[in-house]
PDB file of all heavy atoms in Angstrom:
ATOM      1  N   ASN G 221     -20.345   4.294  -0.234  1.00  0.00           N
ATOM      2  CA  ASN G 221     -20.658   5.082   0.965  1.00  0.00           C
ATOM      3  C   ASN G 221     -21.489   4.263   1.950  1.00  0.00           C
ATOM      4  O   ASN G 221     -21.289   4.339   3.165  1.00  0.00           O
ATOM      5  CB  ASN G 221     -21.383   6.374   0.574  1.00  0.00           C
ATOM      6  CG  ASN G 221     -20.431   7.408  -0.004  1.00  0.00           C
ATOM      7  OD1 ASN G 221     -19.325   7.594   0.503  1.00  0.00           O
ATOM      8  ND2 ASN G 221     -20.840   8.078  -1.061  1.00  0.00           N
ATOM      9  N   TRP G 222     -22.386   3.471   1.421  1.00  0.00           N
ATOM     10  CA  TRP G 222     -23.211   2.583   2.248  1.00  0.00           C
ATOM     11  C   TRP G 222     -22.325   1.537   2.942  1.00  0.00           C
ATOM     12  O   TRP G 222     -22.468   1.275   4.135  1.00  0.00           O
ATOM     13  CB  TRP G 222     -24.263   1.938   1.350  1.00  0.00           C
ATOM     14  CG  TRP G 222     -25.205   0.998   2.012  1.00  0.00           C
ATOM     15  CD1 TRP G 222     -26.268   1.306   2.820  1.00  0.00           C
ATOM     16  CD2 TRP G 222     -25.187  -0.431   1.914  1.00  0.00           C
ATOM     17  NE1 TRP G 222     -26.911   0.158   3.216  1.00  0.00           N
ATOM     18  CE2 TRP G 222     -26.263  -0.925   2.680  1.00  0.00           C
ATOM     19  CE3 TRP G 222     -24.369  -1.337   1.243  1.00  0.00           C
ATOM     20  CZ2 TRP G 222     -26.539  -2.286   2.801  1.00  0.00           C
ATOM     21  CZ3 TRP G 222     -24.642  -2.689   1.352  1.00  0.00           C
ATOM     22  CH2 TRP G 222     -25.707  -3.149   2.126  1.00  0.00           C
ATOM     23  N   ARG G 223     -21.389   0.952   2.192  1.00  0.00           N
ATOM     24  CA  ARG G 223     -20.473  -0.038   2.773  1.00  0.00           C
ATOM     25  C   ARG G 223     -19.627   0.579   3.895  1.00  0.00           C
ATOM     26  O   ARG G 223     -19.432  -0.038   4.945  1.00  0.00           O
ATOM     27  CB  ARG G 223     -19.535  -0.581   1.678  1.00  0.00           C
ATOM     28  CG  ARG G 223     -20.176  -1.545   0.700  1.00  0.00           C
ATOM     29  CD  ARG G 223     -19.262  -1.749  -0.494  1.00  0.00           C
ATOM     30  NE  ARG G 223     -19.682  -2.848  -1.341  1.00  0.00           N
ATOM     31  CZ  ARG G 223     -19.206  -3.053  -2.565  1.00  0.00           C
ATOM     32  NH1 ARG G 223     -18.286  -2.233  -3.061  1.00  0.00           N
ATOM     33  NH2 ARG G 223     -19.626  -4.092  -3.270  1.00  0.00           N
ATOM     34  N   ILE G 224     -19.098   1.760   3.643  1.00  0.00           N
ATOM     35  CA  ILE G 224     -18.255   2.418   4.648  1.00  0.00           C
ATOM     36  C   ILE G 224     -19.049   2.662   5.928  1.00  0.00           C
ATOM     37  O   ILE G 224     -18.536   2.503   7.037  1.00  0.00           O
ATOM     38  CB  ILE G 224     -17.655   3.723   4.079  1.00  0.00           C
ATOM     39  CG1 ILE G 224     -16.584   3.377   3.018  1.00  0.00           C
ATOM     40  CG2 ILE G 224     -17.035   4.575   5.182  1.00  0.00           C
ATOM     41  CD1 ILE G 224     -16.100   4.580   2.215  1.00  0.00           C
ATOM     42  N   GLY G 225     -20.318   3.033   5.772  1.00  0.00           N
ATOM     43  CA  GLY G 225     -21.180   3.221   6.933  1.00  0.00           C
ATOM     44  C   GLY G 225     -21.353   1.950   7.747  1.00  0.00           C
ATOM     45  O   GLY G 225     -21.316   1.971   8.989  1.00  0.00           O
ATOM     46  N   ILE G 226     -21.517   0.820   7.059  1.00  0.00           N
ATOM     47  CA  ILE G 226     -21.660  -0.467   7.745  1.00  0.00           C
ATOM     48  C   ILE G 226     -20.360  -0.845   8.459  1.00  0.00           C
ATOM     49  O   ILE G 226     -20.375  -1.318   9.603  1.00  0.00           O
ATOM     50  CB  ILE G 226     -22.089  -1.572   6.753  1.00  0.00           C
ATOM     51  CG1 ILE G 226     -23.516  -1.301   6.278  1.00  0.00           C
ATOM     52  CG2 ILE G 226     -21.997  -2.957   7.399  1.00  0.00           C
ATOM     53  CD1 ILE G 226     -23.990  -2.237   5.192  1.00  0.00           C
ATOM     54  N   LEU G 227     -19.215  -0.628   7.798  1.00  0.00           N
ATOM     55  CA  LEU G 227     -17.922  -0.921   8.435  1.00  0.00           C
ATOM     56  C   LEU G 227     -17.752  -0.107   9.716  1.00  0.00           C
ATOM     57  O   LEU G 227     -17.312  -0.634  10.748  1.00  0.00           O
ATOM     58  CB  LEU G 227     -16.771  -0.620   7.468  1.00  0.00           C
ATOM     59  CG  LEU G 227     -16.643  -1.513   6.234  1.00  0.00           C
ATOM     60  CD1 LEU G 227     -15.532  -0.987   5.330  1.00  0.00           C
ATOM     61  CD2 LEU G 227     -16.375  -2.963   6.618  1.00  0.00           C
ATOM     62  N   LYS G 228     -18.107   1.172   9.656  1.00  0.00           N
ATOM     63  CA  LYS G 228     -17.970   2.055  10.823  1.00  0.00           C
ATOM     64  C   LYS G 228     -18.872   1.563  11.962  1.00  0.00           C
ATOM     65  O   LYS G 228     -18.444   1.503  13.118  1.00  0.00           O
ATOM     66  CB  LYS G 228     -18.345   3.478  10.413  1.00  0.00           C
ATOM     67  CG  LYS G 228     -18.043   4.539  11.460  1.00  0.00           C
ATOM     68  CD  LYS G 228     -18.371   5.923  10.923  1.00  0.00           C
ATOM     69  CE  LYS G 228     -18.027   7.013  11.893  1.00  0.00           C
ATOM     70  NZ  LYS G 228     -16.589   7.173  12.110  1.00  0.00           N
ATOM     71  N   GLU G 229     -20.072   1.178  11.595  1.00  0.00           N
ATOM     72  CA  GLU G 229     -21.042   0.690  12.592  1.00  0.00           C
ATOM     73  C   GLU G 229     -20.525  -0.546  13.322  1.00  0.00           C
ATOM     74  O   GLU G 229     -20.747  -0.725  14.514  1.00  0.00           O
ATOM     75  CB  GLU G 229     -22.347   0.371  11.846  1.00  0.00           C
ATOM     76  CG  GLU G 229     -23.497  -0.100  12.688  1.00  0.00           C
ATOM     77  CD  GLU G 229     -24.684  -0.485  11.803  1.00  0.00           C
ATOM     78  OE1 GLU G 229     -24.878   0.150  10.742  1.00  0.00           O
ATOM     79  OE2 GLU G 229     -25.384  -1.432  12.173  1.00  0.00           O
ATOM     80  N   HIS G 230     -19.790  -1.388  12.597  1.00  0.00           N
ATOM     81  CA  HIS G 230     -19.288  -2.644  13.176  1.00  0.00           C
ATOM     82  C   HIS G 230     -17.826  -2.540  13.636  1.00  0.00           C
ATOM     83  O   HIS G 230     -17.228  -3.557  14.013  1.00  0.00           O
ATOM     84  CB  HIS G 230     -19.441  -3.782  12.159  1.00  0.00           C
ATOM     85  CG  HIS G 230     -20.865  -4.180  11.910  1.00  0.00           C
ATOM     86  ND1 HIS G 230     -21.493  -5.154  12.645  1.00  0.00           N
ATOM     87  CD2 HIS G 230     -21.777  -3.728  11.024  1.00  0.00           C
ATOM     88  CE1 HIS G 230     -22.737  -5.291  12.205  1.00  0.00           C
ATOM     89  NE2 HIS G 230     -22.937  -4.429  11.227  1.00  0.00           N
ATOM     90  N   HIS G 231     -17.248  -1.332  13.557  1.00  0.00           N
ATOM     91  CA  HIS G 231     -15.861  -1.103  13.982  1.00  0.00           C
ATOM     92  C   HIS G 231     -14.879  -2.019  13.233  1.00  0.00           C
ATOM     93  O   HIS G 231     -13.981  -2.615  13.827  1.00  0.00           O
ATOM     94  CB  HIS G 231     -15.714  -1.294  15.497  1.00  0.00           C
ATOM     95  CG  HIS G 231     -16.689  -0.462  16.281  1.00  0.00           C
ATOM     96  ND1 HIS G 231     -16.584   0.906  16.389  1.00  0.00           N
ATOM     97  CD2 HIS G 231     -17.797  -0.820  16.985  1.00  0.00           C
ATOM     98  CE1 HIS G 231     -17.583   1.372  17.121  1.00  0.00           C
ATOM     99  NE2 HIS G 231     -18.336   0.358  17.495  1.00  0.00           N
ATOM    100  N   LEU G 232     -15.072  -2.099  11.917  1.00  0.00           N
ATOM    101  CA  LEU G 232     -14.186  -2.889  11.062  1.00  0.00           C
ATOM    102  C   LEU G 232     -13.446  -1.960  10.118  1.00  0.00           C
ATOM    103  O   LEU G 232     -13.982  -0.935   9.689  1.00  0.00           O
ATOM    104  CB  LEU G 232     -14.993  -3.919  10.261  1.00  0.00           C
ATOM    105  CG  LEU G 232     -15.696  -5.000  11.090  1.00  0.00           C
ATOM    106  CD1 LEU G 232     -16.684  -5.771  10.243  1.00  0.00           C
ATOM    107  CD2 LEU G 232     -14.675  -5.939  11.722  1.00  0.00           C
ATOM    108  N   GLY G 233     -12.199  -2.330   9.788  1.00  0.00           N
ATOM    109  CA  GLY G 233     -11.390  -1.473   8.932  1.00  0.00           C
ATOM    110  C   GLY G 233     -10.633  -2.248   7.872  1.00  0.00           C
ATOM    111  O   GLY G 233     -10.935  -3.403   7.568  1.00  0.00           O
ATOM    112  N   LEU G 234      -9.599  -1.593   7.345  1.00  0.00           N
ATOM    113  CA  LEU G 234      -8.841  -2.165   6.242  1.00  0.00           C
ATOM    114  C   LEU G 234      -8.180  -3.487   6.637  1.00  0.00           C
ATOM    115  O   LEU G 234      -8.164  -4.440   5.852  1.00  0.00           O
ATOM    116  CB  LEU G 234      -7.779  -1.162   5.779  1.00  0.00           C
ATOM    117  CG  LEU G 234      -6.886  -1.617   4.621  1.00  0.00           C
ATOM    118  CD1 LEU G 234      -7.708  -1.937   3.377  1.00  0.00           C
ATOM    119  CD2 LEU G 234      -5.843  -0.539   4.312  1.00  0.00           C
ATOM    120  N   LYS G 235      -7.634  -3.557   7.854  1.00  0.00           N
ATOM    121  CA  LYS G 235      -6.922  -4.764   8.297  1.00  0.00           C
ATOM    122  C   LYS G 235      -7.808  -6.004   8.185  1.00  0.00           C
ATOM    123  O   LYS G 235      -7.379  -7.038   7.673  1.00  0.00           O
ATOM    124  CB  LYS G 235      -6.439  -4.578   9.731  1.00  0.00           C
ATOM    125  CG  LYS G 235      -5.762  -5.804  10.344  1.00  0.00           C
ATOM    126  CD  LYS G 235      -5.263  -5.481  11.759  1.00  0.00           C
ATOM    127  CE  LYS G 235      -4.711  -6.711  12.459  1.00  0.00           C
ATOM    128  NZ  LYS G 235      -5.775  -7.637  12.891  1.00  0.00           N
TER     129      LYS G 235
END
Side-chain angles (χ1 to χ4, degrees):
N221 284 318
W222 180 75
R223 286 167 169 166
I224 289 170
I226 292 174
L227 292 175
K228 189 176 183 68
E229 182 185 327
H230 290 270
H231 306 289
L232 296 168
L234 180 60
K235 176 177 174 286

